[in-house]
Amino acid sequence: DDKMFTEPLSHPDFFSVKELFTLKDLFDARVHLGHKKGCRHRFMEPYIFGCRLDQDIIDLEQTMQHLQLALNFTAHVAFRGGIILFVSRRRQFCHLVESTARACGEYAHTRYWQGGLLTNAHVQFGPGVRLPDLLIFLSTLNNVFEPHVAIRDAAKMNIPTVGVVDTNCNPCLISYPIPGNDDSPAALELYCRLFRMTINRAKDKRRLSEAAEELQ
Amino acid sequence: TLRLICTSTAVQRKNVGASGPEKYTETFIKKQIEEFNLGKRHLANMMGEDPETFTQEDIDRAIAYLFPSGLFDKQARPMMKHPTEVFPEQRKIQWGEDGRPFHFLFYTGKQSYYSLMHETYEKLLNVQKHQDQLVAQDLPLQKEKRNLAGSRWLTKIELEEMLLEKVSDDDYSRFIQLLQKLVALPCADIEEKYIQKFSKEVPMQLQKVVIEPLQYDERGVAFSTGEGQRKTARATAVVYDNGTGKITVNGIDILHYFPVLQDREQLLFPFQFLGRIGKHDMVCTVSGGGRSAQAGAIRLASAKALRSFVTEKEVEFMRQAGLLTVDPRVKERKKPGQEGPRRKFTWKKR
């Protein structure tokens, strides 16, 4: 049993996450497009490749590395049966995110975030709640263009976070930031597809290894 | 020997009362149902009746006989009801043994409401996709008008009962707006079944006043009846056709019953308005009220009876003249601290 959990950690890419996407896929999905120069956040400057006609272009090489790390991490969390919560406060993609979460068998929260959801969970839900083990942000900002409260709350409750950060977002408190576009529907559909595939892959591997253990 | 003075862990636990009403598990409810059924059979045996055909009314009678109680509040008396009526329908524990919640929107707080919004939006997207397909094939879009007048949306309380959780006014209005948006699309007929879950029929009440047709008595004379009231007086009038203008009240001629001219004028006003003074006979009965009230009551009763003799246009004229409206003025009550309904006590400077 212990071996089942420690063995994946020795491989750098146990779930072969690199095969799921190529640089051309990211380019076609318009992931490299950022906001205008005036909206740029200071901490996003290392991830920006350059600026053309006042519009920031995100460095896709770095995005590839960050995306691979993030997907690898989500796969490991899903393999160990952790609760994953998809968070996004964009109204256009709320339905897409919820359907992705339902397809994976995980959870989503694309609505108004009540203050004490993570920090005051035992009072809001009941005495025996289990908090999410990973938060995935498909858009770090909320409807007023401020950092989502869940980033700060997850950091307070020691919950790791994965988030798609655009050029106007603050990547500080996010454990696995993914610099990339969070406004185009094509980019978001790509992210949803990638997360869904990684989580399903990890869960299938878990079921296979459990079946193999039972046979022994 | 040391005596254990320190408090137990049970006291160190948080205040149980603060966590809200106790949630009942499914096993607990099942056990209660089994105990209830067993107890029902025991009770039937005790009363000497057949356990198979022992209904809830029999149980209530048996309990009232065995445990007589003089308490006024019916709900405080001993009762034996099915556990589903005793324990209110509640949300059971929302997560399984490993801690993973059952519903995918559990972490939002309002899972049923948001899942409802999610489903409704999905239906909307379906309808839009269907519409796009029809447009791509150049087919005409159906436009069958849904009968909006006969139906209403669910109220907020009904929605709360359906979802088993509280819904705020804002959320409710948003849900209704989404439903209206769905209904407004041309191809919304596809999701008709889903929409019907949230709409209720409103029975149309026609307020049109039915004018009764003329009745004929043994001699072949047409007549019709009417009822009227004014203050505390109640009157019924029977107006006969082919008459000479004779009016009888409680068996007494009007000249003797109403000595005052003003009352007789009131009685004759409907006939004078229609120009039928010498043409009709009237027999009426009246009780209650005073002289003027009885006159007003008979006037209303005769006007109502005359509607059957006259065209619709003239009925409309009568209504506009105020002959068919019940006078709502009644005696106003006396208030404490005042001498009458409006008159205050005399103000004395010192």
Side-chain angles (χ1 to χ4, degrees), chain A residues 81-83 85 91 95 98-99 102 105-109 111-112 114 117 125-126 128-132 203, chain B residues 14 19 23 95 98-110 114-115 117-119 121-122 125 174:
Chain A
I83 296 181
L85 187 63
R91 249 182 83 115
H95 186 82
E98 285 184 345
S99 6
R102 201 201 267 191
E106 299 295 342
Y107 308 86
H109 183 107
R111 312 284 177 166
Y112 177 74
Q114 281 162 333
L117 248 172
F125 293 117
V129 209
R130 185 176 151 188
L131 289 180
K203 286 190 172 171
Chain B
K14 283 190 207 138
S19 59
K23 294 228 181 351
W95 52 86
D98 57 350
R100 290 187 76 107
F102 297 129
H103 200 272
F104 78 107
L105 288 174
F106 168 75
Y107 286 106
T108 54
K110 309 180 210 173
Y114 285 133
S115 78
M117 294 289 274
H118 178 78
E119 267 176 40
Y121 191 69
E122 206 169 311
L125 288 176
R174 269 183 192 263

Side-chain angles (χ1 to χ4, degrees), chain B residues 53-290:
Chain B
T53 54
F54 205 55
T55 58
Q56 184 62 43
E57 290 154 5
D58 296 327
I59 298 178
D60 292 333
R61 257 184 286 130
I63 298 287
Y65 171 72
L66 291 168
F67 303 99
S69 150
L71 296 170
F72 291 129
D73 192 358
K74 298 276 194 266
Q75 282 173 327
R77 295 183 184 181
M79 66 166 139
M80 184 164 153
K81 289 209 161 35
H82 193 81
T84 43
E85 291 166 45
V86 174
F87 299 107
E89 210 186 292
Q90 273 175 352
R91 311 271 292 289
K92 299 130 202 162
I93 305 279
Q94 304 286 329
W95 52 86
E97 267 180 22
D98 57 350
R100 290 187 76 107
F102 297 129
H103 200 272
F104 78 107
L105 288 174
F106 168 75
Y107 286 106
T108 54
K110 309 180 210 173
Q111 66 179 50
S112 354
Y113 169 72
Y114 285 133
S115 78
L116 187 73
M117 294 289 274
H118 178 78
E119 267 176 40
T120 320
Y121 191 69
E122 206 169 311
K123 304 286 178 205
L124 197 100
L125 288 176
N126 266 353
V127 170
Q128 280 177 347
K129 213 168 71 172
H130 190 258
Q131 214 174 306
D132 292 336
Q133 279 173 353
L134 287 182
V135 166
Q137 291 163 10
D138 280 327
L139 289 168
L141 303 162
Q142 298 149 308
K143 194 75 176 158
E144 288 160 26
K145 275 269 178 185
R146 224 177 132 260
N147 185 17
L148 297 158
S151 59
R152 63 167 176 91
W153 296 118
L154 284 184
T155 56
K156 194 179 104 139
I157 301 163
E158 281 164 5
L159 191 67
E160 281 187 2
E161 274 171 42
M162 204 167 109
L163 300 176
L164 286 178
E165 67 180 16
K166 291 238 183 312
V167 175
S168 80
D169 291 328
D170 217 14
D171 292 337
Y172 172 71
S173 56
R174 269 183 192 263
F175 176 60
I176 297 295
Q177 278 170 10
L178 189 61
L179 279 175
Q180 281 165 349
K181 206 172 151 185
L182 175 59
V183 163
L185 292 174
C187 305
D189 311 315
I190 308 161
E191 308 297 345
E192 195 57 48
K193 229 169 57 171
Y194 183 76
I195 298 170
Q196 268 163 19
K197 274 194 248 176
F198 304 107
S199 63
K200 279 209 169 159
E201 290 256 331
V202 165
M204 302 245 257
Q205 289 160 347
L206 285 170
Q207 285 289 332
K208 211 168 151 95
V209 184
V210 180
I211 305 177
E212 282 157 19
L214 288 171
Q215 292 156 304
Y216 294 89
D217 69 356
E218 315 95 32
R219 286 176 295 151
V221 178
F223 72 94
S224 101
T225 38
E227 282 174 2
Q229 73 221 39
R230 171 87 210 273
K231 277 196 196 171
T232 337
R234 303 283 180 266
T236 43
V238 186
V239 176
Y240 293 92
D241 209 357
N242 300 346
T244 48
K246 229 175 35 162
I247 304 178
T248 313
V249 183
N250 282 356
I252 306 169
D253 192 42
I254 59 163
L255 273 175
H256 298 291
Y257 198 82
F258 292 118
V260 183
L261 176 68
Q262 179 195 327
D263 302 335
R264 285 179 298 213
E265 271 183 358
Q266 286 287 299
L267 290 207
L268 286 172
F269 179 37
F271 300 98
Q272 183 228 340
F273 184 80
L274 296 167
R276 291 170 177 235
I277 294 187
K279 294 183 195 160
H280 293 285
D281 257 350
M282 188 160 77
V283 176
C284 21
T285 45
V286 68
S287 63

Side-chain angles (χ1 to χ4, degrees), chain B residues 323-350:
Chain B
L323 276 165
L324 298 173
T325 356
V326 178
D327 202 331
R329 297 178 290 178
V330 279
K331 199 159 179 174
E332 199 175 312
R333 75 161 264 203
K334 176 195 170 318
K335 284 106 191 174
Q338 292 175 344
E339 197 168 319
R342 300 285 172 107
R343 156 120 176 121
K344 323 280 187 279
F345 291 124
T346 319
W347 178 72
K348 295 207 177 75
K349 198 154 180 183
R350 49 184 75 80

Side-chain angles (χ1 to χ4, degrees), chain A residues 22 24 29 35 59 82 122 149 154 156 172 181 189 206:
Chain A
T22 58
K24 184 144 191 328
H35 289 273
D59 189 0
H122 291 283
V149 178
K156 277 192 187 174
C172 280
N181 193 3
E189 275 173 22
R206 172 64 184 266

Side-chain angles (χ1 to χ4, degrees), chain A residues 41 43-44 47 73 118 134-137 140 147-165 169-178:
Chain A
H41 194 98
F43 295 141
M44 288 300 287
Y47 302 121
F73 184 74
L118 290 179
L134 173 66
L135 251 62
I136 301 186
F137 287 91
T140 8
H148 204 294
V149 178
I151 306 175
R152 189 200 68 189
D153 280 352
K156 277 192 187 174
M157 304 299 286
N158 288 345
I159 301 171
T161 38
V162 163
V164 175
V165 276
C169 308
N170 187 353
C172 280
L173 284 172
I174 304 167
S175 345
Y176 291 89
I178 305 170

